[in-house]
Amino acid sequence: MSSDDFLAVRTEHWARTLTAIPSVTGTRDEAEFADRLVALLKGNPAFAAPAGRVWTLDVPGGAFPRKCVLGLVRGAGSRTVVLTGHFDIVETGCYGPLEPLALDPDRLGPALVARIGDEPHEARAAQAAKDLADGAFLPGRGLLDMKAGLSAGLAVIEKLASAPFDGNLLFIAVPDEEGNSAGARRISQALAGIAADHGLAIEAAINLDATVDDGDGAEGRAVALGSVGKLLPSALVVGRAAHASDSFRGIGAAAIAGALAAEMEWAPELTERSGDELGAGPTLLGMKDSKAAYDVTTPASVWMYWNVMTHRRAPAEVLDAVEAAASSSAAALMERLAERATASGATVSLAPVAVVRYAALLAEALQRPGARAALDALSDELAASALSLPDQCRKLTEKAWELSGRSGPAIVLGFASIPYLPVELRDDDGARRLDAAVRAAMATTTAVHATSLRTIRYFPGISDVSFFGQADAGHVPAIAENTPMWRAILAGAERFGAAGIPSINAGPWGRDYHTRLERMHAGYGFRVLPALLLSIVENLLRR
C-alpha cells in the first residue's frame, strides 16, 4: 500500500470512528469522549510504550469533568510538532427526525437527500442534496468541524511511527472550543511545563480545523498562517423608565439601544481588511431588556453585545470605536427626540446620554463600603451558575451600576466574553521555518495530487490557534479591566494569553457546518489533507 493510500484509509477509519462518538459541548458525552479517545489511542501501536505515552489534563469549570487528551510519539531528538484540534461538537437537535442518524454518515446521507427532496425548494438544501448524491461529500455532525481534521493528524502520526523518524509528535485533542475554549486555554498554560517534563523543543503547532467553501474548493483548500481575533464588546444601556401613558417624562433604554444597534451593524470602522482578506463586519449577537414580565412601564435597561473580528486592530482601538458609535448614536437620537417633542407640543427635559467604560464605573462603585466584597461574592456565584458568560457579565455590570449610585440615561461599555487574540507568524526563525515547510509541502502536494492549494493570512473563524500561536499579550490588560467576569475567566491561572508557538491551521473543507447540512469534501479530507500534513511535518522535523 502506498503512503497516500495508507493515509487515506487510516484517516477515513479514524474519522468514522470519532464521528460516531457523541461529544456535544457542555454535555456528559463531551466529558466521556476524552476517556473513550484515550482507550483508542492506548490500543494503537503508534502510541505504545516505550516510544509512546497517552495521558489527560483536567480542565477546570463546566458541569461535567472535562479533560484534554495528549498522545506523545517519540522519534529521535527533541524537536517536536504539535497536531491539535477540538473534539466537541455543536448540538444535533437541528436534524429533527434524522437526529438518531446524525453521527452515522452512511445512513445520514441518503436520508438527508430523501428528506430534502420532500421539502420546499431551498437553494442551500438543493446544493447539499446534489453534493451528497454525487458522493463527493460526506455528512455527519462533527465530521467537518472537526473530527476529520483530528483523524488526518492521527493518520500522519501512525505513518511516521511505523518506521524510525526524526523528531517527536504531540497529539492534543481539547474540549469546549464551541464554548469558551477552556481546553485550549488550559493547554496554553501547561504546554511549557509539558515540554520541559518530556524534554521536548516544540517547533510548531498545526491546528486541524475546517474551512468553508460554497464553490469548487479553491478557497477551502487553504493553509492559514494565522487566525482572526474575536472580541465581544457589550453595552448596558440605562434609560429613565416611565409609564407608557407618561412617555415624555422618560427616556427609553430600548430606543437608545436601537439607535446604537443600527450604528454598529457592519460599521466600517470595526471591519478589517488585510490585502484581499476581508474580516466579518461587526454584528449584534444578543439584545434583551430588563423586564421579566409584561407591564406598561418602559424597560429600565437593555443589555447588548456584538461580535467583532480583528486582524491587527488592538482591543483598545475597538473599544474606542464602540465608544464613538455610542456617543454619536445617542446624541443623534436625543436631537431627534427633542425635535419630535417640539413638533408634538410636549415639554420635555432631555439629559445627555453619558457613555462610560466598565473600568471607570467599577472604580466609582468601589468607593462604596463593602462594594468589593459584594461584587466578588456575586462574581463567584455567577461563575458557578449555568448562565452564559455574556449574561454573567450583564449581572455584574448591573450590580456595579447599582453600587455606583449613578442614574440614567447612560451607556456602560465593556467586553462580555473570552477574547480570542489575533495571531500570525512573526518575523523570527521559528516562524520562518514553519512558513518554508508549509510552502514546500504545498508545492509537493499540488504536484502529486493535481490540485490547487493556497495560503491565507488569517483563518476567518475563531479558532484555538489564538491560544497556541504568537499573539500579542500586551493587548490583554485593556480587555481585562473592562471585562466584568475577568477574575472568573482566569479561574486561578497566572495569566491569560497564548503559548507563543509558531502556529498554522490546515484542515478539511466543506459546507454548512453547525447546521444539519454539515458535510465534508471527502477526497480532500481523506486523501489530500493527510498527505499535505505529512509533508509539512517531515519538512519541519528533517535534520
Side-chain angles (χ1 to χ4, degrees):
M1 184 184 296
S2 71
S3 174
D4 282 353
D5 287 342
F6 174 88
L7 289 170
V9 168
R10 294 306 297 167
T11 299
E12 183 168 357
H13 163 78
W14 277 111
R16 292 179 179 278
T17 299
L18 298 184
T19 300
I21 305 174
S23 56
V24 172
T25 310
T27 66
R28 188 180 299 279
D29 286 336
E30 178 193 30
E32 293 177 349
F33 183 95
D35 291 331
R36 297 178 72 171
L37 179 57
V38 165
L40 290 170
L41 297 185
K42 285 186 174 180
N44 188 282
F47 292 93
R53 184 193 170 196
V54 178
W55 72 104
T56 61
L57 186 67
D58 290 341
V59 177
F64 303 98
R66 301 167 298 181
K67 302 172 187 174
C68 299
V69 177
L70 298 95
L72 174 63
V73 177
R74 290 187 175 278
S78 62
R79 297 172 67 184
T80 304
V81 173
V82 172
L83 294 167
T84 185
H86 67 89
F87 58 72
D88 61 310
I89 62 174
V90 298
E91 58 82 29
T92 57
C94 64
Y95 287 90
L98 302 184
E99 186 175 14
L101 308 181
L103 307 182
D104 186 340
D106 291 322
R107 295 171 64 201
L108 177 62
L112 266 176
V113 171
R115 186 164 184 82
I116 290 169
D118 293 337
E119 294 174 344
H121 178 75
E122 179 197 342
R124 298 195 74 83
Q127 179 62 56
K130 180 178 184 301
D131 288 344
L132 297 172
D134 289 349
F137 290 79
L138 201 62
R141 171 60 82 235
L143 174 66
L144 174 63
D145 183 20
M146 61 168 283
K147 290 177 178 177
L150 288 174
S151 300
L154 287 170
V156 167
I157 291 172
E158 288 180 325
K159 176 60 181 173
L160 281 173
S162 65
F165 70 99
D166 290 334
N168 311 284
L169 296 169
L170 180 59
F171 176 77
I172 303 176
V174 302
D176 194 49
E177 192 269 356
E178 304 292 1
N180 292 314
S181 287
R185 289 190 286 127
R186 178 72 174 95
I187 286 291
S188 75
Q189 301 291 322
L191 200 52
I194 292 169
D197 290 345
H198 293 86
L200 308 177
I202 298 179
E203 294 280 308
I206 304 175
N207 194 55
L208 303 163
D209 215 339
T211 55
V212 175
D213 187 339
D214 290 329
D216 63 1
E219 299 295 311
R221 296 187 295 269
V223 177
L225 304 179
S227 187
V228 298
K230 175 195 170 179
L231 296 168
L232 204 74
S234 62
L236 177 66
V237 180
V238 183
R240 290 182 179 172
H243 193 279
S245 65
D246 204 12
S247 61
F248 288 119
R249 290 187 180 276
I251 298 177
I256 300 170
L260 178 54
E263 185 78 7
M264 283 283 294
E265 197 71 11
W266 296 359
E269 299 83 359
L270 287 163
T271 305
E272 283 201 75
R273 177 184 288 274
S274 297
D276 61 355
E277 294 180 31
L278 178 65
T283 192
L284 186 66
L285 289 184
M287 187 174 184
K288 62 177 68 175
D289 65 44
S290 55
K291 295 178 65 168
Y294 171 78
D295 59 37
V296 290
T297 302
T298 59
S301 66
V302 174
W303 174 252
M304 52 204 308
Y305 50 92
W306 297 263
N307 184 85
V308 173
M309 298 294 203
T310 63
H311 290 174
R312 291 186 171 86
R313 184 172 290 139
E317 294 178 79
V318 170
L319 205 52
D320 286 344
V322 176
E323 183 173 358
S327 297
S328 63
S329 64
L333 175 65
M334 292 300 105
E335 183 177 343
R336 287 199 301 275
L337 291 180
E339 292 171 352
R340 290 173 179 179
T342 299
S344 300
T347 301
V348 298
S349 176
L350 290 175
V353 178
V355 178
V356 60
R357 298 187 183 193
Y358 179 77
L361 180 73
L362 178 61
E364 294 177 18
L366 292 178
Q367 299 301 311
R368 296 290 185 93
R372 171 54 73 189
L375 288 167
D376 286 351
L378 179 57
S379 175
D380 292 342
E381 177 187 329
L382 292 169
S385 75
L387 288 174
S388 68
L389 194 49
D391 272 336
Q392 293 176 29
C393 287
R394 170 179 61 86
K395 286 187 170 291
L396 206 56
T397 305
E398 290 171 344
K399 185 64 174 178
W401 174 264
E402 174 193 325
L403 290 168
S404 74
R406 279 177 170 259
S407 60
I411 301 173
V412 181
L413 301 176
F415 296 109
S417 189
I418 300 291
Y420 287 74
L421 301 176
V423 295
E424 55 186 354
L425 295 182
R426 292 178 180 166
D427 186 17
D428 60 32
D429 289 343
R432 283 191 288 270
R433 283 196 299 272
L434 177 54
D435 184 88
V438 167
R439 296 183 189 280
M442 289 173 63
T444 300
T445 307
T446 55
V448 171
H449 290 273
T451 190
S452 65
L453 293 167
R454 69 182 187 123
T455 60
I456 54 177
R457 184 175 295 180
Y458 297 103
F459 183 72
I462 61 170
S463 76
D464 285 340
V465 177
S466 288
F467 300 102
F468 283 91
Q470 297 174 301
D472 187 349
H475 292 323
V476 173
I479 303 171
E481 67 179 4
N482 287 294
T483 303
M485 290 296 293
W486 190 257
R487 190 168 71 98
I489 288 171
L490 282 181
E494 294 181 3
R495 61 176 177 82
F496 183 97
I501 301 165
S503 300
I504 60 170
N505 189 90
W509 76 270
R511 314 199 213 273
D512 294 318
Y513 60 18
H514 290 202
T515 78
R516 64 172 184 151
L517 303 178
E518 176 180 353
R519 58 202 186 277
M520 183 199 73
H521 190 274
Y524 185 80
F526 292 155
R527 181 163 289 272
V528 180
L529 175 62
L532 172 64
L533 292 172
L534 177 63
S535 185
I536 294 172
V537 170
E538 288 180 326
N539 291 343
L540 281 167
L541 295 179
R542 187 174 293 117
R543 292 180 179 178

